Amino acid sequence: MTVPRATSQPPAGLIVTLHGWGANAEDVASLLPLLNLPDYQFVLPNAPYPYPYSPVGRAWYDLRVENMYEGLVESRQLLTDFLESLESTTGVPLSRTILCGFSQGGAMTLDVGSKLPLAGLAAMSGYLHPDALTSAKSGIPPILISHGRYDEVVPLKAALKARETVQSLGVAVEYHEFDMGHEINPQTLEVLRNFVVNLIG
């Protein structure tokens, strides 16, 4: 889903936003006005799999214990192909594209985004897949990690581990903790907005 912009000028950059497990692109779209980035084109892909507990939710891969990570390999490839196709459909290169995601979408962001020449990656309430960065080459884009101290779904230690792992690879990391649970609050959006503006302008 591509969100139409109010102006006909070419976009300053692209912001591709990945929803969490059981959400969908519409959920993310409601937050975009709060980001206040009118010069950017937002692209909100829906995850490829149905969510097992609701007819409208989508999943990047299974998170149920018995099928943990099932579908991840396929989703990785689909998302990579999609991102690589964006320049031809939007005219905006990957070097002016920011990939961000919430929760499971944040995990997909760190995984797929670390292998592409993007402007930056932002993981909100996310985590690292077990082998996400083992094959990542040098040149991982700058990363923003934001997380709630009281997150009851993805514990804070997942964010700390992600920060430590990417720092050990020499990647530029900006890290923020907030007094919140598993959610996106106005402060999260503010640090995301600043991250985008600082990287792309």
Side-chain angles (χ1 to χ4, degrees):
M1 158 179 180
T2 302
V3 179
R5 291 166 58 250
T7 160
S8 58
Q9 295 296 315
L14 278 190
I15 301 175
V16 181
T17 309
L18 309 180
H19 63 74
W21 197 52
N24 60 37
E26 303 286 339
D27 288 351
V28 181
S30 61
L31 295 170
L32 301 185
L34 303 174
L35 263 177
N36 187 27
L37 288 167
D39 299 335
Y40 287 77
Q41 178 79 62
F42 286 88
V43 182
L44 314 175
N46 263 319
Y49 299 108
Y51 176 61
Y53 307 116
S54 136
V56 294
R58 306 295 298 170
W60 295 100
Y61 51 85
D62 208 333
L63 280 175
R64 291 172 294 180
V65 173
E66 65 274 20
N67 302 317
M68 189 61 85
Y69 292 120
E70 192 176 292
L72 173 56
V73 173
E74 294 80 1
S75 265
R76 258 185 197 140
Q77 192 58 54
L78 285 166
L79 185 57
T80 302
D81 293 347
F82 173 73
L83 290 164
E84 288 178 333
S85 76
L86 282 175
E87 183 171 359
S88 63
T89 55
T90 63
V92 181
L94 285 177
S95 61
R96 298 185 72 80
T97 300
I98 287 183
L99 181 62
C100 61
F102 175 72
S103 195
Q104 190 184 49
M108 290 299 291
T109 294
L110 293 173
D111 186 330
V112 172
S114 62
K115 301 167 185 74
L116 292 169
L118 293 152
L121 312 175
M124 301 170 280
S125 307
Y127 52 95
L128 270 180
H129 295 143
D131 57 345
L133 298 177
T134 46
S135 64
K137 299 177 274 304
S138 57
I140 296 174
I143 295 175
L144 168 68
I145 295 172
S146 57
H147 216 95
R149 294 192 181 100
Y150 312 117
D151 193 322
E152 66 294 346
V153 179
V154 179
L156 182 64
K157 65 175 193 263
L160 295 167
K161 180 172 184 243
R163 177 178 69 173
E164 188 184 306
T165 304
V166 292
Q167 278 176 335
S168 73
L169 295 170
V171 180
V173 183
E174 185 183 327
Y175 178 84
H176 297 270
E177 275 175 27
F178 299 113
D179 288 327
M180 63 177 188
H182 193 64
E183 62 192 292
I184 296 175
N185 72 358
Q187 291 167 293
T188 315
L189 294 172
E190 191 177 339
V191 299
L192 176 58
R193 182 179 192 281
N194 291 338
F195 180 71
V196 171
V197 170
N198 289 338
L199 280 178
I200 300 183

